[in-house]
Each structure stands twice: as structure tokens, then as C-alpha cells.
Amino acid sequence: AQRVTQPEKLLSVFKGAPVELKCNYSYSGSPELFWYVQYSRQRLQLLLRHISRESIKGFTADLNKGETSFHLKKPFAQEEDSAMYYCAPQRTGANSKLTFGKGITLSVRP
Amino acid sequence: NAGVTQTPKFQVLKTGQSMTLQCAQDMNHEYMSWYRQDPGMGLRLIHYSVGAGITDQGEVPNGYNVSRSTTEDFPLRLLSAAPSQTSVYFCASSPRTIQETQYFGPGTRLLVL
């Protein structure tokens, strides 16, 4: 069965510090890779998608096929980055069951 | 476009009561899904649909029913509510598949006493 692991539940950093939110997945191949974010009292929304290779709000995510990881990074955290972040690698093919990690809460202190 | 809408925003039920959580989207999306969000558990898939007339079970389907009579609507029914169903419920849609961006509704917060 495919698995998605976000090993940490909470990451607390000071403003301006670097951030790395980890995501590992268990299946091989070339999945579509997403990070979703949920700000306080808001709906989940797409933060970034690997295939677009964009940097959104200063965040980037690099695919490491050897380690099957898709960690989310930002060099200088801002207070407005405080939110819940979900990793969602989706295997290509006929499987239609979306899989999300358990999420990590990022808290950026002033 | 309103995107994905959900009603109600908040509901309190007594054990054994039934209710329907509504989800609608106006983007002509084929794929729709329901999740529950619980602390420490992340998002868990309840049911999903790849198009009108087609539904299937997700990770935690017990106690929930769905139907998809139109492309726009995907209601979630609780047949006999239990305290374990206290959660925040999210509906999502995408144009066709899970390999596309998912658009989420604002959520329904359900409390079962």
C-alpha cells in the first residue's frame, strides 16, 4: 500500500529562520507531487506542485527520487507562513484514491 | 464562480440522528471527494466519485453514504451519527483525476453528542 510520511507534527521557528518540512512516500515510479496549505480558519489550498517547478511564497520543493522524498523548503520564514502543511504525492495510473500525509503545523514566532 | 461550497458550516447532532452534508461545485469537475480531518490523523478519505453515477469507498467509509446524481453535487450522509464522527469534513473536486490540483470547500464542523 502506498504510504506518505510526514515525520514531524510540529515545527516551531523564529522569523527569518530556514524551514524544511519533510515528506517521504513509499511507492516507486513518478508520482504527481503536491503540497497543500491550510491557514487558520481557511480552506485547504494548493501551495505548490512539483510539475510546475514554481516557487510560491518563497517555498520550493525538490523531488529526490532516490530517497522518495519531496521536502518543502523556505530560506527565511515569515510569521504569515504559520499554518498546517500537507504533503500529497499521487501515484499515476488507475488508482483514484487521494493520499495525504498527516500534516505538520508550522509556527513562526516573531 | 463560487468554486466548492459546503453547507452547513457547523452542526450539532445527537447520537443516532441522521443528516446530510452538502457539497456543490460549479466548475464542471468530474472528480469529487470527501475527507474528515482529525487532530493527529491528517486528512482521511471517506468516499470519492470519478463522475456522475459513480462512487467508491475511501479509507474510512463506515457510517457514511454518498451518491452522485449530478456532476455538481456530492452529498455525504450520516445514517446514525456517533460521537466518533465528530470531526471537520471537507469536500474537494478536481477536473478529472487525483493527479490534478484539488479544490477544497470551506469545511463543515460536526459535533456529535
Side-chain angles (χ1 to χ4, degrees), chain A residues 9 32 34 36 38 42-46 49 84 86 90-93 95-103, chain B residues 2 4-5 31 33 35 37 40-43 45 48 50 56-58 90 98-102 104-106:
Chain A
K9 291 185 178 181
E32 294 290 336
F34 302 85
Y36 288 87
Q38 185 180 26
Q42 295 187 26
R43 67 184 72 192
L44 282 93
Q45 58 186 286
L46 178 71
R49 181 177 175 180
M84 175 78 88
Y86 290 95
Q90 307 306 332
R91 192 174 65 181
T92 55
N95 189 321
S96 291
K97 294 186 179 182
L98 268 166
T99 304
F100 287 85
K102 292 189 176 182
Chain B
V4 181
T5 58
Y31 186 89
S33 52
Y35 301 86
Q37 183 184 43
M41 302 297 291
L43 290 165
L45 180 65
Y48 67 97
V50 299
D56 206 345
Q57 295 181 350
F90 289 98
I98 63 171
Q99 286 83 30
E100 299 165 301
T101 299
Q102 301 297 311
F104 285 85

Side-chain angles (χ1 to χ4, degrees), chain A residues 1-96:
Chain A
Q2 56 193 53
R3 287 180 57 190
V4 183
T5 304
Q6 292 183 251
E8 299 157 325
K9 291 185 178 181
L10 171 67
L11 179 63
S12 183
V13 301
F14 285 106
K15 177 182 175 181
V19 167
E20 183 181 51
L21 307 181
K22 297 180 180 177
C23 174
N24 296 90
Y25 55 94
S26 64
Y27 41 92
S28 59
S30 299
E32 294 290 336
L33 298 157
F34 302 85
W35 276 95
Y36 288 87
V37 61
Q38 185 180 26
Y39 301 104
S40 179
R41 300 183 186 280
Q42 295 187 26
R43 67 184 72 192
L44 282 93
Q45 58 186 286
L46 178 71
L47 177 64
L48 63 79
R49 181 177 175 180
H50 175 254
I51 194 171
S52 63
R53 300 195 182 277
E54 291 178 310
S55 174
I56 307 297
K57 298 185 178 182
F59 284 96
T60 58
D62 293 325
L63 169 63
N64 185 321
K65 288 188 177 181
E67 296 180 359
T68 58
S69 67
F70 188 52
H71 303 331
L72 185 68
K73 299 179 182 179
K74 184 169 184 178
F76 307 103
Q78 303 300 313
E79 289 180 68
E80 55 265 30
D81 295 328
S82 295
M84 175 78 88
Y85 292 81
Y86 290 95
C87 177
Q90 307 306 332
R91 192 174 65 181
T92 55
N95 189 321
S96 291

